[in-house]
Structure formats: structure tokens, C-alpha cells
Amino acid sequence: MLNEFLILMKSELVLCCIIFLLLFIKVGTDMTNERMLPLVQVLLLVNVVASFIFNQEGTLFGGLFTTNLLMAFQKSILSIGIYLISLLFADWLKKSEHMPEFFMLMLSAVLGMFFMISSGSLLMFFLALELSTIPVAAMANFDLEKKLSSEAAMKMILSSAFSSGILLFGISLIYGATGTINFAEIPALLDGSPLQILAFVFLFTAFAFKLSIVPFHLWTADVYEGSPVAVTSFLSVISKGSIAFILLTTLYKVFAPMQEIWYNMVMLLSVITMIFGNLFALRQQNIKRFLAFSSIAQVGFILVGLSSNSSQGTASVVYFILIYIFSNLAAFGVAGAISQQTGKERIDDLKGLYQTNPFISWVLALALFSLAGIPPTAGFFGKLFLITAGASKGNYFFITVAALNLIVSLYYYLRIIRAVFMDKNDQPIEKIILLPSVKLGMLICGAGIILTGLLSWVYDYITSLTM
């Protein structure tokens, strides 16, 4: 029994050990950031390696905690993301007065996400969701001297509290309509009654807040702009990825009998999210707000693949999240390096960047090409698989709208590429000095963008996990 517990909860236990080790170091030693950061990076790398080995299927605590090979891989993707964050924002972390606290908050949030992915009941899911949300609000306020950071934290707390209240009300309605909150028991008790439909609407609304699905996205841009870039990247990539993973489980397994109802809802919200995300991204001048609305548009494409309710849909969403982590973190890494050393965050400031910083210019270009879905980057294959999965329902109007939004997104991504490589600037951003770990993080992101698209076995492996 003990061996089963240690293996099935391996990912969560490793994170707990790292959190407690950081706590002991913070309280019991005077280790400087320069010495501590490499240690944390090594620990997070060990966490990534550990997430890929000794994975098994099973349940614990009477079905409250469940895991399988696909869930283990989803946790591995998130582990890769937090390791890359520790590399890409090393410059900001070294200068922070509270670096250990940042990692403890981030790892606590990720721990909640791991439990959320492995939830076997709505109670476990709610507790895990709160654990993954509350530390992020503190992270958003990490730049204590900046008013925008405090404002971002306040908006994050208020929106999270509102969505949690909606989620709890939905859970209470589900329990009232079915008499259970266990994921394994709910599907057999669903009959599509008005009360059950209302309960599902409330549950999905809570997911929509967390994923920034239009019209529940209004908090996103302000929180992204006010938070430190490292926190913004965490919100954009890790937080959204975890919610997308649990949404797959919720729709495909728990609410599978109500597919005809939620398909129309997902389809409509996907179209609205893609259109509004693209239109608002067109007019942004702040790079963080731009990437915020860009990520909203990307969520619309995730919903396209998710609407298929098939193993192909699961594989396409998981594959896209993997690509999205490399692509978005590369873009945020470049934005963070520039912001940290120059304080500039406007798109116009990027004009002529290639003249003085060719390396980060190419990293940014590769990331934007992938986000736009331009071949041969992995983003092209990711969106191709999402649209192909969505097309399995035969709703070609839906797929046509998605394809047209792809064209619109090309414009605003290429607008930045033009500014970096083609626009003239008499006073371009000076040479950015990158720490070795930051360079390593950018190289890993670049390699991930290329290799996950060119190596077909990556998608095939993810597909095999969904069978």
C-alpha cells in the first residue's frame, strides 16, 4: 500500500519535498539568490525527470485521487513549463528580495494543479482549484512597490472569488440533481434535466473564467499587464494549460451524456473567443497586453479541438498545450529580458531590435511564427490537429470561422516581426546581456518549437496515451 501511494502520488510528493526544502533554506540559512537559484533550477530539472519515470495507473483515498499515463504526461508538461520559467526569468529572480517565496508560491500553485488533474470528485477538484489559485494572487502582487501590481492582484482575487462562488453553486446543484459528487458516478445519473443543465452551465462558467474565455475574460489583460513578466507567463501558460487538461476530463468523461448540449455551448464560445481575442490583440501596444489577448485567441482554438469529444480531440489539445508552452514562454522570455534591463514594454520599442540583438530577435520570431501557425514550426501542426479534430463533427461553418481567424492572427503576429526586422529605429534597444540560464531557456524553447513539430512520434505518443 505504501509503495502504491509513493508511486501514484510521485509528482505531488516531489513538489512537496522541494517546497519544504526551500522553506528550510529560507528559515535556517542566509543563502543568497545567486547560490540558491542554481539549486532550485536543478531541483526543478529533477522534478521534470522524475515526472517521466515510474508512472502507473491507479486510484487512492476511495477514488478521490486518480491517475493514469495521460494524466502523468500532462503533469510532465506543466513541470517542463515551471522549469523553463526558472531559466528564462533568472535575471529578475536573482534581483528579487523574495525569490524563495516566489518559488514556494509557484510550486504550491502547481501542486494544486496536479491534484486538480487527478481529482476523482468535485470536492477534490474544488479544493485543488483553490490551492492553485490563491498563491497566484500573491504572485501577481510580487512587485510590491508598483501600484499596477497591487491592482492586478486585487482583480485576480475578486475574479477568482466570483468564479469560485459560481463553481460552488454549480457543484451544489449537481449534488442536488444526482446525489453524488464522484466523477465515476455522475455520468450514469445524468438525464439532461433542466436542473442538470443549469448546474453544468455554472460549472462551465467557472472554467471559462479561469481559461479567459470570452465574455469571462475581462480580468485577463489588466492582471497580465500589472503582474511581473514571470507571473504573467505562468498565468498564460501553466495555469491555462492545467485548466484545459481538467476541462477535457470534465467534458469527455463526467458530462459525456450531455454532449449535444455542451457541444453547442463550446462551439459558440470558441467562435466568440477567437474573434474578440484577435480583434483586441490588433490594437494593443503593450507587449504583455498583446500576449494576453493573443492567449485568449489561442484558447478559442483549443476549444475547437475540444469540441470533437474524441481521442483525437484529447490528443490534439494536449499536443497543442505542449507546443503552446514552448512558444508562449519564448515570447514572454524575450519580453521579460527586455523589460528587466530597459523597462520597455511597448511594441514600438521593438523597432530595429534585430540591429542590436539578433539572437533574441530570432527567438521572438520563432515563437511568434509558432503562435501564428506558420509551417514548419510546431504551432502549424498543433492548430492543424485542433482544426482536424473539430472538423470531425462536420460543422464546416465552425471550421471556416476558425480558419479565417488564423488569417487575422497572421497580421498582428507579423506586425511585430516587421517591427523587429524591417522597421528603422535611430535609437534601438541597446544590447541585452543574457545570463547563461536565460540563453539555455530560450534555446530549449526554440528546440521545442521545432522538434515537437518535426518529430511525428511526439503526437503519436500522446495519441497512444488517449486510447
Side-chain angles (χ1 to χ4, degrees):
M1 181 65 183
L2 178 61
N3 289 338
E4 183 184 23
F5 171 78
L6 292 175
I7 292 175
L8 294 181
M9 293 193 66
K10 165 176 58 67
S11 297
E12 291 78 9
L13 292 173
V14 170
L15 280 185
C16 286
C17 290
I18 297 175
I19 291 169
F20 278 107
L21 180 59
L22 289 174
L23 180 61
F24 294 147
I25 291 174
K26 174 65 179 178
V27 174
T29 69
D30 294 323
M31 188 180 294
T32 62
N33 287 356
E34 285 74 13
R35 291 176 57 198
M36 188 182 299
L37 184 57
L39 173 63
V40 175
Q41 291 169 343
V42 170
L43 291 174
L44 293 180
L45 180 59
V46 170
N47 177 53
V48 172
V49 175
S51 68
F52 283 100
I53 58 176
F54 303 123
N55 293 319
Q56 293 183 9
E57 298 184 6
T59 59
L60 294 170
F61 314 120
L64 283 177
F65 182 92
T66 180
T67 188
N68 55 41
L69 296 181
L70 178 61
M71 291 177 179
F73 185 73
Q74 291 170 347
K75 294 173 185 178
S76 299
I77 292 175
L78 300 183
S79 296
I80 292 172
I82 59 175
Y83 172 63
L84 288 174
I85 288 175
S86 73
L87 294 176
L88 290 167
F89 304 102
D91 194 14
W92 176 76
L93 289 167
K94 280 188 175 182
K95 296 175 182 177
S96 173
E97 296 180 13
H98 307 287
M99 188 188 76
E101 290 89 333
F102 174 83
F103 279 112
M104 283 187 277
L105 288 170
M106 183 174 72
L107 293 177
S108 297
V110 175
L111 180 63
M113 294 170 190
F114 282 6
F115 279 117
M116 189 167 59
I117 290 172
S118 291
S119 297
S121 77
L122 287 169
L123 175 62
M124 181 73 168
F125 167 69
F126 175 75
L127 294 175
L129 183 65
E130 291 304 293
L131 176 58
S132 69
T133 301
I134 295 173
V136 177
M139 289 166 62
N141 194 28
F142 221 72
D143 282 340
L144 298 175
E145 71 282 359
K146 294 183 180 179
K147 182 180 177 181
L148 273 179
S149 188
S150 300
E151 181 183 338
M154 182 58 68
K155 290 180 178 178
M156 181 78 188
I157 291 171
L158 291 176
S159 64
S160 296
F162 187 53
S163 63
S164 294
I166 292 174
L167 176 63
L168 273 177
F169 190 59
I171 291 174
S172 66
L173 291 180
I174 283 289
Y175 183 74
T178 64
T180 183
I181 56 174
N182 292 327
F183 286 166
E185 299 173 3
I186 290 175
L189 300 171
L190 295 177
D191 54 17
S193 66
L195 181 60
Q196 292 177 358
I197 294 173
L198 181 62
F200 172 76
V201 169
F202 277 108
L203 285 174
F204 191 85
T205 299
F207 280 110
F209 266 105
K210 302 297 183 183
L211 268 176
S212 302
I213 297 173
V214 176
F216 309 102
H217 69 291
L218 298 176
W219 62 274
T220 309
D222 292 335
V223 173
Y224 279 28
E225 183 180 7
S227 304
V229 182
V231 179
T232 304
S233 65
F234 180 87
L235 281 168
S236 175
V237 177
I238 310 300
S239 182
K240 277 189 171 58
S242 64
I243 296 296
F245 291 148
I246 187 62
L247 186 57
L248 279 171
T249 301
T250 305
L251 292 184
Y252 285 14
K253 295 183 179 179
V254 183
F255 289 97
M258 298 173 64
Q259 178 193 347
E260 292 184 4
I261 297 169
W262 63 250
Y263 171 77
N264 293 324
M265 184 185 302
V266 169
M267 181 186 67
L268 177 62
L269 290 176
S270 173
V271 170
I272 295 173
T273 302
M274 284 186 289
I275 292 174
F276 275 79
N278 281 333
L279 291 179
F280 278 95
L282 285 171
R283 57 192 294 269
Q284 300 305 314
Q285 289 300 318
N286 181 280
I287 188 69
K288 287 196 289 186
R289 290 183 71 89
F290 167 80
L291 289 173
F293 284 108
S294 162
S295 69
I296 290 172
Q298 301 289 349
V299 168
F301 287 102
I302 291 174
L303 293 179
V304 173
L306 194 144
S307 68
S308 70
N309 192 20
S310 63
S311 60
Q312 184 184 15
T314 301
S316 65
V317 171
V318 174
Y319 178 70
F320 184 80
I321 295 297
L322 174 61
I323 294 166
Y324 182 67
I325 281 181
F326 290 123
S327 305
N328 230 35
L329 283 182
F332 274 114
V334 172
I338 294 172
S339 175
Q340 178 64 29
Q341 297 191 28
T342 68
K344 296 179 179 180
E345 294 183 350
R346 291 180 59 82
I347 293 176
D348 288 342
D349 296 328
L350 299 178
K351 290 182 177 180
L353 180 67
Y354 181 70
Q355 301 173 35
T356 52
N357 295 275
F359 174 72
I360 63 173
S361 296
W362 282 114
V363 171
L364 180 60
L366 192 60
L368 296 178
F369 282 147
S370 183
L371 290 172
I374 297 175
T377 61
F380 166 76
F381 298 100
K383 288 188 175 177
L384 175 65
F385 294 144
L386 286 176
I387 291 176
T388 302
S392 63
K393 291 293 184 182
N395 190 336
Y396 296 109
F397 172 77
F398 180 34
I399 301 306
T400 301
V401 172
L404 291 174
N405 275 278
L406 270 175
I407 298 172
V408 174
S409 67
L410 279 176
Y411 170 77
Y412 58 74
Y413 285 122
L414 293 178
R415 176 168 64 100
I416 298 181
I417 301 295
R418 185 190 66 185
V420 170
F421 287 91
M422 301 176 66
D423 287 354
K424 301 298 181 183
N425 190 350
D426 294 333
Q427 294 182 324
I429 292 174
E430 60 267 23
K431 179 70 175 178
I432 302 296
I433 307 300
L434 299 176
L435 295 176
S437 59
V438 178
K439 273 191 176 180
L440 176 61
M442 291 182 179
L443 288 172
I444 293 174
C445 288
I449 292 170
I450 297 297
L451 295 179
T452 50
L454 297 182
L455 299 178
S456 60
W457 63 263
V458 176
Y459 181 74
D460 293 339
Y461 173 71
I462 296 173
T463 302
S464 69
L465 297 178
T466 65
M467 298 302 183

